Amino acid sequence: VLFRSDFRGKCILLVEDNELNRELLCQILSQEYDVIEAENGQVALEILKEHKNSISLIFLDVVMPVMDGYTFLNRLRSDSSMSFIPVVVTTQSSSEEDEVNALSHGATDFVPKPYRPQIILHRAANLIELRENAAMVNQFMYDRLTGLFSREYFYQKVQERLNESTGTSYAIVCSNVENFKVYNDIFGIRAGDEVLRRIADLFREMMGENGICARYGTDRFLCLMRQERLPEWMRVHSSAEKLPGLSNIELKWGVYKISNRAVPVEKMCDRAFLVADSIKGRYNQRIGIYDDVLRDKLLREQAITESMETALAEGQFSVYLQPKYWLQNDTMAGAEALARWIHPELGFMNPGEFIPLFEKNGFITKLDRYVWEQTCKKLQQWRQEGYPDIAVSVNVSRADVYQEDLPETMSSLVAQYGIEPRQLHLELTESAYTENPNQIIAVVDELRNRGFVIEMDDFGSGYSSLNMLNQVHFDILKLDMKFIQTETAKPGEMSIMRFVVNLAKWLNLSTVAEGVETKAQLERLRDVGCDYAQGYYFSRPLPVQEFEKLLAAGKKRLEDEE
Ligand code: C2E
Ligand code: CA
Ligand code: CA
């Protein structure tokens, strides 16, 4: 074995028994490559055993003693560990028959004698590049963790299948793991990976050997299924029964039936996932199907998204205020600012419709800033007009917490309107904690140092952890309305609400109950020792002018006392 020239990276194996020919080719190739020489097929195979991973290309003579070129080619192509190496066959003649013969034996290309150096070098370079690109594509074809197709390859495969079988109706079926992030946090990344592999197996079982299945993103999977299989598949997968090996896992499925093949595959997949996402958190629903209802909802969402910037600029958003009462003497203790949108075409909209959308598309930070500023403006005006000094709570969404300059923004707002930071209560939800504990701990401390009062909103609605109460220094715990609305008034029964209120007292936190609708609920709250209450029983959220009438009563009392 001869190594010609210094090691320069790419290496060509030259298989040729005729010494003169070998010398000729070697001189040409070694201008650009490392060359290893072999005098027959047998020797070449030995060399390959050791160097197959570093050989980029083979030049092969077909007529050789010991093992001829075609036998060598057959061996090479039948060994999957080296079948991908391109082979250029060299022959004496340039007859078409020779060329066809070479190619049919698995040669990649063919060069006749006499050798023309520039052509040989170009061919070598092209073949090596082609092969390297192909290797790269291969890497992107499969998902490493599960061995299913990658997203891009899935699109391609689906498109091919749709083009081939025009007579069959298909559907895109996808799955998404409910709360996969929480699962990962609790059980660890390795267990999470294991779950993902199980899900991949589930797809393989569902679709069989030739199924077109892919992992789409972390915990998202999809496949192409024939529509005729859907009824049976749905019967199996809509039951609440847990899947083997996936007992802690809940899968949400989305189905998009392909009716119009002109829709790009990517879009079909988006739609399938949209349905899957639309049933998130619905305990008893496993499968969602893309239909006209969902389509209309998406169109409405699109209309909302398209008009939100203008709406903010044109003042279509307004702030409503819902009063909050102190339970010891039933006086108004403050209010919560809640956004409303009076849309020129869609009409009056409650935040339930647009806030979740704004949280997804990021616009929430702009709207929140607007609401904060309107609130500060009002507080300033009330102060100037001699209304009682009340505090107003504003909602601070998760995205706001992630903004570096939130504390600074808040401080400059209150400074600009000449009000006290303690007049602005900030309601944060625990989801920010679940996602990024350290950040929220730091931000809350910083805001409190600046004098703001921090409320934990919707406590008990998500994955509240007692640990969070310990780590994040809130001032006020705002109990989710589920608490009061499911509370049974059985005397003597140890209630969850009593426990939470006592816990809050023990942590030196005040408590606010929201969603109080009846007198019985109010009495119950007094009984367990809750400090404040908010709800329809007292008042709905009111337009500012109406709220000011309530405030005026307090103002009158102040004036009477003077
Ligand atoms: P939230 O912060 O939990 O606000 C309380 C919601 O409960 C309000 O709904 C309020 O109108 C409603 N509510 C008050 N009393 C009762 C009652 O006795 N019974 C019942 N069933 N409901 C009651 P709203 O105004 O529709 O707001 C919904 C959610 O939208 C809010 O929940 C809050 O998370 C969000 N939101 C509203 N305005 C803003 C805002 O300016 N910024 C941000 N980030 N979120 C906002
Ligand atoms: Ca709130
Ligand atoms: Ca709330």
Side-chain angles (χ1 to χ4, degrees), residues 245-373:
L246 295 171
S247 52
N248 286 314
I249 286 296
E250 168 132 4
L251 289 180
K252 293 293 187 196
W253 298 94
V255 177
Y256 174 79
K257 292 182 188 167
I258 301 173
S259 51
N260 176 2
R261 295 189 181 204
V263 174
V265 175
E266 208 175 325
K267 198 145 214 153
M268 298 176 182
C269 300
D270 284 351
R271 288 178 181 169
F273 279 115
L274 272 172
V275 219
D277 290 344
S278 71
I279 57 169
K280 236 184 212 164
R282 286 197 210 158
Y283 178 69
N284 50 9
Q285 194 178 354
R286 293 295 202 82
I287 302 176
I289 297 184
Y290 188 90
D291 59 9
D292 288 346
V293 175
L294 190 77
R295 192 177 146 268
D296 290 346
K297 183 173 166 249
L298 294 177
L299 285 177
R300 192 175 162 94
E301 283 188 8
Q302 194 180 348
I304 290 178
T305 312
E306 278 165 5
S307 55
M308 64 197 183
E309 294 279 357
T310 330
L312 190 61
E314 292 181 351
Q316 291 172 17
F317 291 101
S318 61
V319 176
Y320 274 43
L321 293 165
Q322 184 176 34
K324 185 161 68 179
Y325 289 82
W326 193 28
L327 292 185
Q328 295 212 343
N329 63 3
D330 287 350
T331 52
M332 195 208 289
E336 176 176 6
L338 294 157
R340 298 288 181 268
W341 185 357
I342 298 113
H343 194 287
E345 283 125 43
L346 303 174
F348 185 91
M349 280 195 282
N350 275 316
E353 186 163 6
F354 55 85
I355 297 275
L357 209 59
F358 291 175
E359 280 171 345
K360 263 192 271 170
N361 66 25
F363 187 68
I364 191 67
T365 53
K366 286 194 190 170
L367 178 66
D368 278 347
R369 236 210 95 103
Y370 175 79
V371 172
W372 304 338
E373 179 150 15

Side-chain angles (χ1 to χ4, degrees), residues 336 338 395 427 457-458 478 514:
E336 176 176 6
L338 294 157
N395 290 286
E427 297 192 2
D457 200 1
D458 302 336
K478 199 163 181 187
E514 62 181 347

Side-chain angles (χ1 to χ4, degrees), residues 379 383 389 414-415 417-424 450-452:
L379 284 168
R383 167 169 282 197
D389 228 6
V414 293
Y417 290 98
I419 57 171
E420 303 289 332
R422 60 167 176 79
Q423 284 185 275
L424 209 56
R450 291 167 184 256
F452 296 99

